[in-house]
Amino acid sequence: MFEYEIGGKVYVQRPLVLGQVRQLMGLLREIKIPAGAGAAEVIALLDEKLPEALAVVLTEKGKNPKDKDIQALAEALEFEITPEVALKVVEDFFSCNPIASVLQRLTQIVETVKERLRVTGLKNSSASLREATSPGERRSSGDTPSGSANPT
């Protein structure tokens, strides 16, 4: 956990919870942050969205992230946080939230699910093939008439 004094209040940054991830993803939807980008580069890419991003990741000490008014906090932070503290918050964000390892883990989960679906799909399709050609069923012989048909 990281603490910052901003505008006479103490704010904390903890690992993100799901609600904060959702808020941040919505905010950053159209921003592409290259792998290995440093804090200064991230700040430049965020541009006018920086105060809102800071409002998502920072929470006043003793309060719950779900109780924040993101817009009001963003407006306050924009004129209270110094560039040095903003840079520190972004640097700390990557220490606090190991995004690369989270993405790697998500990739592993997706691959596992794909493999299970592939195996399940093969089992289901082979079962349906067995049903379609079960020994109790007559196979079609195409256009060949059966022996009992009356040829006219």
Side-chain angles (χ1 to χ4, degrees):
M1 179 175 75
F2 299 95
E3 290 189 7
Y4 316 90
E5 187 173 333
I6 304 166
K9 295 181 182 177
V10 176
Y11 292 90
V12 296
Q13 180 175 193
R14 296 181 187 97
L16 297 176
V17 294
L18 288 176
Q20 288 173 298
V21 170
R22 182 185 52 76
Q23 291 169 334
L24 206 52
M25 287 178 69
L27 178 67
L28 304 178
R29 183 172 300 131
E30 297 170 10
I31 296 175
K32 304 232 185 290
I33 299 175
E41 190 175 358
V42 170
I43 287 173
L45 289 168
L46 289 173
D47 194 25
E48 75 272 354
K49 294 184 179 189
L50 179 62
E52 192 172 350
L54 294 172
V56 170
V57 301
L58 295 175
T59 303
E60 193 173 343
K61 189 172 184 174
K63 295 196 176 177
N64 192 309
K66 73 177 181 176
D67 298 329
K68 291 189 288 188
D69 179 341
I70 299 294
Q71 292 305 317
L73 181 53
E75 289 173 19
L77 288 173
E78 185 169 17
F79 292 98
E80 293 175 349
I81 194 167
T82 65
E84 293 81 17
V85 174
L87 189 61
K88 181 74 174 132
V89 170
V90 174
E91 286 174 348
D92 292 345
F93 173 83
F94 292 105
S95 297
C96 196
N97 298 285
I99 301 299
S101 66
V102 170
L103 291 176
Q104 182 179 18
R105 182 68 182 125
L106 284 174
T107 301
Q108 291 171 343
I109 291 169
V110 167
E111 291 304 317
T112 301
V113 169
K114 282 182 181 178
E115 180 61 23
R116 287 183 182 164
L117 289 174
R118 188 184 67 76
V119 169
T120 302
L122 287 175
K123 287 181 183 175
N124 288 343
S125 64
S126 65
S128 64
L129 286 174
R130 279 193 302 259
E131 289 174 11
T133 58
S134 65
E137 297 290 323
R138 287 186 156 184
R139 293 184 186 209
S140 169
S141 56
D143 292 340
T144 308
S146 69
S148 63
N150 184 5
T152 12

